[in-house]
Amino acid sequence: MHAFDATTTGAREARIVEALNARWHGKNVDPPKLAFPIKLQIQTQSWCQASCVMCPYPETAKEVPMGRMSETLFEKIMAEAGRHPVERISLYLHNEPLLDKRLPDLVATAARLVPHAVRTLFSNGELLHLDTLRSLVAAGLNEINLSINGGDRETYERTNRGLHWDRVLGNLDALLAAKSRGELPRLEVKIVAVDAEGVPPSVANLARRWPAHAARIFIKPVTNRAGNVAPRRHAPGSAGSDNLPRRPRPCQRPFVKAYIVWNGDVILCNCDWRREVVLGNLEHSSLEEIWRNAAYEALRKRHLTGDLAAGSICSRCDYPLLAAEDE
């Protein structure tokens, strides 16, 4: 489990991960079954203003339908989630969530209907003005993760194409100054950078710029997004995306989390940028029905047995292997 992933993993998910790891090591162990996902990741609108080098968005946005989720559908999802012990609601998926001007209202709906869940965003930070953040926190946002891939202008703008270093850094300075003054006391702030070329050394600049108590900084491995971006290179013999083993590691995502795009489609996971695996649609079914349907159950069984079809999206993905490297 990556350090960042561990910050979002509760006891129920940890038990599932433990069982899947035991299964991988040859033990006849089945993970606990969840009647409903404990995490939801929801795309309220599908656009992003960036063209980051490690992201498939510039290509996939030309290939899949784009749009905004209706408030009616969003409220339906939240009402159902409120009847279950959901732990986290992430209002972003394959997008920049702050492009949705309705976001404070949507956060408020989530807070009203699913008060027991953490409500979180992942943003590139360019639109994160302090007044916007204050309105989100007032609506019930608990956590914000900022994707800051570089600690200097050259590295940042090379990695985060289409974004502006001065604008993003100014927003972060204002946010973390407010946090240091004791404002936003109930908001957890995380700065997340990917392990792309030149990024980790430059991120040390950010650790020196801001007080450690204002935000935690994480480095995440670059995955191949299930074959949607070029794999990173690994040392010979390592568990990397360019030498996937014959027996794949089971992934915990189909066992714990549902991923919902703007039109109500429940897709495989956040690596399914092209929406290759659609497990159901929430305009026509409940999430509980989809979560328990034959397609989802077959997917989980394939992960348990390691019988992933050649060329399938899961067979192309290196996320479970990169997670295993950090065990």
Side-chain angles (χ1 to χ4, degrees):
M1 188 69 64
H2 309 310
F4 177 80
D5 290 347
T7 68
T8 70
T9 300
R12 288 186 293 166
E13 183 175 1
R15 288 193 291 272
I16 289 171
V17 171
E18 182 180 5
L20 293 174
N21 286 340
R23 186 94 179 196
W24 166 255
H25 290 295
K27 298 180 181 178
N28 188 21
V29 177
D30 287 332
K33 283 191 174 183
L34 298 178
F36 196 82
I38 55 177
K39 296 179 176 180
L40 304 181
Q41 191 164 341
I42 302 172
Q43 181 188 75
T44 68
Q45 60 80 32
S46 57
W47 291 278
C48 183
Q49 80 277 42
S51 300
C52 302
V53 297
M54 64 291 182
C55 182
Y57 174 83
E59 294 303 318
T60 59
K62 303 171 188 174
E63 302 172 14
V64 297
M66 306 290 279
R68 299 196 322 163
M69 180 175 286
S70 72
E71 289 89 345
T72 301
L73 177 57
F74 184 82
E75 184 155 349
K76 174 190 174 184
I77 297 166
M78 292 300 99
E80 184 179 7
R83 299 191 291 272
H84 297 274
V86 173
E87 296 176 2
R88 292 178 66 84
I89 296 174
S90 302
L91 298 180
Y92 62 91
L93 178 61
H94 303 165
N95 70 343
E96 169 46 51
L98 294 177
L99 287 171
D100 194 335
K101 302 303 182 185
R102 308 169 300 166
L103 206 54
D105 291 337
L106 298 177
V107 170
T109 297
R112 174 171 55 87
L113 294 175
V114 203
H116 49 274
V118 172
R119 295 163 295 277
T120 182
L121 297 179
F122 219 116
S123 169
N124 60 44
E126 189 171 58
L127 301 175
L128 190 66
H129 311 300
L130 189 54
D131 287 346
T132 300
L133 184 60
R134 288 187 175 120
S135 68
L136 288 165
V137 171
L141 188 71
N142 309 111
E143 174 187 295
I144 190 158
N145 306 279
L146 285 309
S147 180
I148 311 298
N149 298 298
D152 59 75
R153 182 196 308 276
E154 180 183 358
T155 304
Y156 179 84
E157 292 190 350
R158 181 181 68 242
T159 309
N160 297 91
R161 295 172 183 165
L163 301 178
H164 302 86
W165 169 251
D166 290 333
R167 194 175 301 160
V168 171
L169 199 66
N171 288 342
L172 286 172
D173 283 343
L175 158 60
L176 296 176
K179 183 80 173 162
S180 296
R181 291 192 301 267
E183 299 181 41
L184 313 170
R186 294 185 297 276
L187 180 70
E188 184 174 8
V189 181
K190 302 174 190 175
I191 307 297
V192 187
V194 296
D195 189 10
E197 181 182 357
V199 170
S202 75
V203 167
N205 297 331
L206 303 181
R208 291 189 291 268
R209 185 180 185 99
W210 300 312
H213 67 270
R216 289 189 287 169
I217 298 177
F218 298 86
I219 304 292
K220 289 187 68 173
V222 181
T223 75
N224 70 352
R225 313 289 176 103
N228 285 302
V229 296
R232 73 170 193 175
R233 294 301 166 192
H234 294 68
S238 67
S241 58
D242 42 5
N243 58 337
L244 299 178
R246 291 184 180 179
R247 186 167 64 91
R249 283 189 75 95
C251 179
Q252 85 271 25
R253 286 170 168 168
F255 296 86
V256 299
K257 190 170 184 178
Y259 300 80
I260 304 163
V261 297
W262 67 271
N263 65 354
D265 282 345
V266 178
I267 61 171
L268 175 62
C269 74
N270 63 330
C271 290
D272 191 0
W273 284 77
R274 290 181 165 84
R275 308 174 196 169
E276 297 177 45
V277 180
V278 176
L279 295 154
N281 184 278
L282 291 169
E283 292 282 9
H284 313 298
S285 305
S286 71
L287 182 53
E288 184 175 6
E289 289 169 336
I290 294 170
W291 184 252
R292 296 183 177 192
N293 71 19
Y296 242 132
E297 287 300 321
L299 172 65
R300 296 181 188 114
K301 183 176 180 180
R302 288 195 294 271
H303 274 270
L304 290 175
T305 61
D307 183 24
L308 302 179
S312 67
I313 186 169
C314 291
S315 73
R316 304 194 306 264
C317 185
D318 63 358
Y319 169 77
L321 299 169
L322 296 178
E325 288 181 351
D326 285 351
E327 284 183 355

